[in-house]
Amino acid sequence: MDEKEENLGSFDPNIPEEGPSAPPPGWLEDIHGYQGPNKEGPEDDEPLYPPPPAYNPQPELNRSTSVPTVRVPSVSEDVARDALLKFVESKWKYSSKPARNLTFKDLKPVTVYRYRLETYTETRTSAWQFEPYNGQPVDGPQHGMSPPPWDIPVSVPPVYTDKVEKIRVPHSSFVKMCHKCRGCGRTRCSGCFGRGMRCTFCHGHGRARNKRCTSCHGRGRKRCLSCRGDGYKTCSVCHGAQNLLHFIQLTVTWKNHVSNFIPDRQPDFPDRKFEKVSGDPFFIDENVLVYPIQGFPDKEICDVSTKFTNEHLLRFTSTSRILQQRQTIELVPLTHAFYSYNGKDYSFFVYGTENKVFTSKYPTTCTLF
């Protein structure tokens, strides 16, 4: 055993055990206007700051929005046939012969409206953060009082664009001894209890299963692989800097909240298909706050407009700032095509401005035999 290895195993009481990775309660200072959990943790632990009442718009009483009437579109036989042929080409088991030779019996357009309400909000939360202190400038309370969360200026992204921005709150920084290593810059190795040598296989006894330990050759001591025999590790929090720079980080979140509704107008057509196609947005109403639609021929659209606008107002003004709203009515094309082939009746749907096709039954399928 060499001299260095002989010296291993000495215990240094000045090197502390690892402390918690987050500061203990009461470790951090209170910053006016940022009361909340004094700990650095996941975003779920960040205190939420509802905007002051003056930041959110107030709805006007008895306001409503009128919508123009619109003509229901229909597709021709040629368009319906071309749409079915494209659909058949994407299905390797289907033959294109029925699509080419079918006889149309009727094309029935179905009136389908899609209502959408978008509410663009801004939300502000905060949490304590820290970084190793290596002499960088400290913007602390000596430079003034930290501004309240909603007084900190930010650059708003393009409307309806989701974005998250993190900002260091002015004058909230201060330097404090690292809580994990208690200012030593290093912590005792938990693998060897700070002694640099310990056989983890026989736990220092020299024997395992009533036999001489083959890992340490019966010595009960072996250079600790975790700390390479030093008995300590560089602090994982301050990285050896001994001190930490604490500061409050403000998180500003912009999010577009969308609610969609399509009335069920055709029981044989699955409404989920509408989610992947476009419609004709013949009505777009955009303002800081939009108001319920009244007088539209489809009363279900009027009812859901009232429901969604009330829900969004109650839901988001309690936690966030509403920046903009937009409500849209799209006319989503849907045509039920009835046809016959080889003396039997069939049907399919053409839907969306993309002229997608849905059918639950097709005349023939190709076989490999």
Side-chain angles (χ1 to χ4, degrees):
M1 187 181 299
D2 58 33
E3 182 179 351
K4 181 178 181 182
E5 191 166 316
E6 280 290 346
N7 291 330
L8 292 174
S10 58
F11 177 77
D12 187 348
N14 296 318
I15 301 176
E17 295 181 355
E18 286 187 337
S21 56
W27 187 264
L28 303 177
E29 300 177 8
D30 288 331
I31 301 295
H32 180 72
Y34 292 86
Q35 287 75 16
N38 276 348
K39 64 177 182 177
E40 291 145 23
E43 289 192 4
D44 289 346
D45 294 327
E46 296 186 4
L48 171 68
Y49 303 105
Y55 277 69
N56 261 325
Q58 300 301 312
E60 300 176 27
L61 296 176
N62 302 320
R63 279 286 302 275
S64 62
T65 302
S66 60
V67 181
T69 56
V70 62
R71 182 177 61 85
V72 180
S74 61
V75 298
S76 65
E77 291 186 0
D78 289 341
V79 171
R81 189 186 306 274
D82 288 343
L84 185 60
L85 281 168
K86 289 181 181 178
F87 171 76
V88 168
E89 289 172 1
S90 67
K91 307 291 184 181
W92 69 271
K93 291 197 292 186
Y94 287 176
S95 167
S96 62
K97 184 178 178 181
R100 290 196 306 268
N101 299 317
L102 62 81
T103 300
F104 282 106
K105 300 180 70 176
D106 195 10
L107 295 172
K108 290 186 176 180
V110 182
T111 304
V112 178
Y113 298 113
R114 174 164 54 202
Y115 176 81
R116 176 183 290 116
L117 176 63
E118 300 170 82
T119 299
Y120 191 55
T121 64
E122 177 183 326
T123 307
R124 299 196 176 195
T125 60
S126 76
W128 281 102
Q129 299 293 333
F130 57 74
E131 62 185 30
Y133 177 65
N134 294 298
Q136 60 266 43
V138 180
D139 180 18
Q142 68 273 19
H143 297 295
M145 184 179 292
S146 294
W150 285 93
D151 285 355
I152 296 176
V154 294
S155 298
V156 181
V159 69
Y160 309 119
T161 302
D162 291 353
K163 184 181 178 183
V164 176
E165 185 172 341
K166 296 183 182 296
I167 303 164
R168 189 171 300 198
V169 173
H171 317 322
S172 68
S173 302
F174 63 89
V175 176
K176 198 164 188 177
M177 175 184 73
C178 177
H179 54 272
K180 190 176 184 72
C181 66
R182 287 175 249 168
C184 290
R186 55 186 185 174
T187 56
R188 194 180 304 161
C189 176
S190 58
C192 63
F193 304 109
R195 299 200 175 271
M197 293 193 69
R198 183 172 184 263
C199 179
T200 56
F201 189 76
C202 68
H203 304 293
H205 298 300
R207 298 183 64 83
R209 298 177 183 175
N210 295 322
K211 295 181 180 179
R212 191 176 71 160
C213 178
T214 57
S215 179
C216 64
H217 305 291
R219 290 180 293 179
R221 288 151 48 93
K222 189 177 180 181
R223 186 186 298 269
C224 178
L225 297 178
S226 182
C227 65
R228 293 171 298 184
D230 293 328
Y232 62 87
K233 293 181 179 180
T234 300
C235 178
S236 60
V237 168
C238 70
H239 304 298
Q242 301 180 338
N243 294 305
L244 295 173
L245 175 64
H246 295 266
F247 57 91
I248 295 178
Q249 182 171 265
L250 182 72
T251 300
V252 185
T253 303
W254 293 274
K255 186 171 180 59
N256 192 34
H257 306 270
V258 183
S259 295
N260 286 296
F261 174 77
I262 291 185
D264 188 2
R265 291 291 182 261
Q266 180 49 256
D268 297 328
F269 181 83
D271 291 340
R272 68 179 185 277
K273 295 288 184 182
F274 286 126
E275 296 174 4
K276 297 183 179 180
V277 295
S278 305
D280 175 23
F282 67 91
F283 172 77
I284 300 175
D285 176 30
E286 187 172 4
N287 212 320
V288 177
L289 286 182
V290 297
Y291 293 87
I293 292 171
Q294 298 293 332
F296 190 62
D298 192 327
K299 186 175 183 303
E300 207 168 355
I301 294 295
C302 297
D303 292 343
V304 81
S305 172
T306 300
K307 176 186 175 184
F308 282 178
T309 51
N310 288 335
E311 284 180 352
H312 278 219
L313 190 64
L314 291 173
R315 177 182 170 191
F316 299 121
T317 54
S318 61
T319 59
S320 309
R321 178 185 183 186
I322 294 179
L323 300 178
Q324 192 83 348
Q325 285 189 318
R326 178 169 62 191
Q327 60 181 344
T328 307
I329 302 178
E330 292 178 283
L331 182 62
V332 185
L334 178 66
T335 299
H336 200 174
F338 298 88
Y339 67 96
S340 63
Y341 180 75
N342 282 347
K344 294 183 178 181
D345 292 336
Y346 302 90
S347 72
F348 64 93
F349 291 92
V350 182
Y351 64 101
T353 57
E354 298 87 350
N355 289 332
K356 297 286 187 179
V357 165
F358 167 77
T359 180
S360 58
K361 188 177 181 182
Y362 188 70
T364 61
T365 58
C366 294
T367 62
L368 301 177
F369 305 99

